[in-house]
């Protein structure tokens, strides 16, 4: 079964850039799946950030699009998230997830999540 | 964006109860709906997709129904491990959006 593991700094300064990586194991990132980032502020609900296909095609949430870049590294079997100009509002648990194959773009595999604090 | 509205926001129930959670989309989503269960400190877990299809390994006491804009998640007989927060998510189009969550408490 595919497994996902997020990694990156747990503390980012305001106005800085949040950078996270999701390592894919027991499976290949080169598949029919898209790969997503989702975040959850403390005590709040889930927000989809964006997704990437192994070809490099991306879709972003318009609410974050001006600050977000998602990229893929097929050689390392991982994908990454960069969020610029962060504020305290970006403090959250960040999850990476695998989307199902077309047309079922639900998220069937999730990483455990990593907490990022902006302070 | 498609807005997803869940109700209720919280729900108190007992072991053995039958409970229903509702999710309404701001426009038709053609059954492109998933339900997730999340326990404190854990990642969400997929329960159902395509509104009514049970994910492998999920107990059959969980079921889903609906069409168009209105969908429901039903737990037929609550077990102690079912007390958690539940989210719906539409994947009809990007940006994918989630309901605000329903916290199911004892």
């Amino acid at each position: 079964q595919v497994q996902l593991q997020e990694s990156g700094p747990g503390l980012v300064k305001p106005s800085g850039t949040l950078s996270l990586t999701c390592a894919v194991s027991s499976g290949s990132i080169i598949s029919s799946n898209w790969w997503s980032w989702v975040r959850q502020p403390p005590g709040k609900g889930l927000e989809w950030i964006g997704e990437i296909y192994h070809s490099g095609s991306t879709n972003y949430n318009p609410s974050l699009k001006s600050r977000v870049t998602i990229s893929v590294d097929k050689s390392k079997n991982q994908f990454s998230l960069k969020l610029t100009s962060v504020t305290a509002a970006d403090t959250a648990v960040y999850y990476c997830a695998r989307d199902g194959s077309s047309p079922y773009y639900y998220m069937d595999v999730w990483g455990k999540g990593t907490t990022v604090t902006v302070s | 964006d498609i807005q997803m509205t869940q109700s209720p926001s919280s729900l108190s129930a007992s072991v053995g109860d039958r409970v229903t959670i509702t999710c309404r989309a701001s426009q038709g989503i053609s059954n492109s709906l998933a339900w997730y269960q999340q326990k404190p400190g854990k990642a969400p877990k997929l329960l159902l997709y395509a509104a009514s299809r049970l994910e492998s390994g999920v107990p059959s006491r969980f079921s889903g129904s609906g069409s168009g804009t209105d969908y429901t998640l039903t737990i037929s007989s609550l077990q102690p491990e079912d007390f958690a927060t539940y989210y719906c998510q539409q994947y009809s189009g990007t940006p994918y959006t989630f309901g605000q969550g329903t916290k199911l408490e004892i």
Side-chain angles (χ1 to χ4, degrees):
Chain A
Q1 170 69 310
V2 168
Q3 295 182 315
L4 306 177
Q5 179 65 59
E6 305 89 349
S7 62
L11 182 64
V12 182
K13 295 184 185 302
S15 77
T17 297
L18 179 159
S19 297
L20 297 174
T21 296
C22 181
V24 179
S25 59
S26 301
S28 176
I29 202 167
I30 303 175
S31 66
S32 58
N33 300 98
W34 287 69
W35 305 87
S36 278
W37 287 98
V38 176
R39 70 179 183 178
Q40 185 171 37
K44 296 188 178 181
L46 301 164
E47 179 181 33
W48 179 76
I49 298 170
E51 64 182 355
I52 191 164
Y53 195 63
H54 62 78
S55 64
S57 295
T58 54
N59 292 304
Y60 296 131
N61 192 324
S63 67
L64 297 167
K65 188 173 183 177
S66 64
R67 300 193 291 130
V68 171
T69 302
I70 298 176
S71 59
V72 64
D73 187 333
K74 289 177 283 189
S75 67
K76 294 184 178 179
N77 215 35
Q78 63 186 33
F79 61 107
S80 299
L81 168 70
K82 288 190 187 298
L83 182 65
T84 61
S85 304
V86 298
T87 69
D90 295 310
T91 293
V93 176
Y94 286 75
Y95 296 100
C96 58
R98 184 182 76 172
D99 297 357
S101 303
S102 176
Y104 300 118
Y105 296 114
Y106 50 84
M107 290 146 214
D108 64 345
V109 179
W110 294 69
K112 292 183 178 180
T114 188
T115 298
V116 178
T117 301
V118 178
S119 177
Chain B
D1 299 4
I2 299 174
Q3 307 300 319
M4 305 300 292
T5 304
Q6 274 183 248
S7 60
S9 296
S10 64
L11 176 59
S12 294
S14 301
V15 173
D17 284 354
R18 177 185 180 92
V19 299
T20 297
I21 298 168
T22 297
C23 186
R24 174 166 289 176
S26 59
Q27 65 189 70
I29 56 172
S30 303
N31 288 5
S32 297
L33 184 95
W35 289 97
Y36 302 88
Q37 176 192 68
Q38 187 179 34
K39 296 182 177 179
K42 300 293 188 182
K45 173 188 174 183
L46 176 68
L47 299 176
L48 298 108
Y49 62 93
S52 61
R53 298 190 186 184
L54 203 63
E55 173 70 347
S56 176
V58 174
S60 58
R61 62 181 180 273
F62 292 92
S63 64
S65 65
S67 63
T69 60
D70 295 328
Y71 299 86
T72 59
L73 170 69
T74 298
I75 310 173
S76 60
S77 178
L78 277 172
Q79 298 302 299
E81 60 268 29
D82 299 337
F83 291 95
T85 300
Y86 293 84
Y87 293 94
C88 61
Q89 177 230 337
Q90 67 79 20
Y91 52 90
S92 175
T94 59
Y96 306 134
T97 46
F98 294 85
Q100 80 277 19
T102 295
K103 187 173 184 179
L104 180 53
E105 301 174 300
I106 300 174

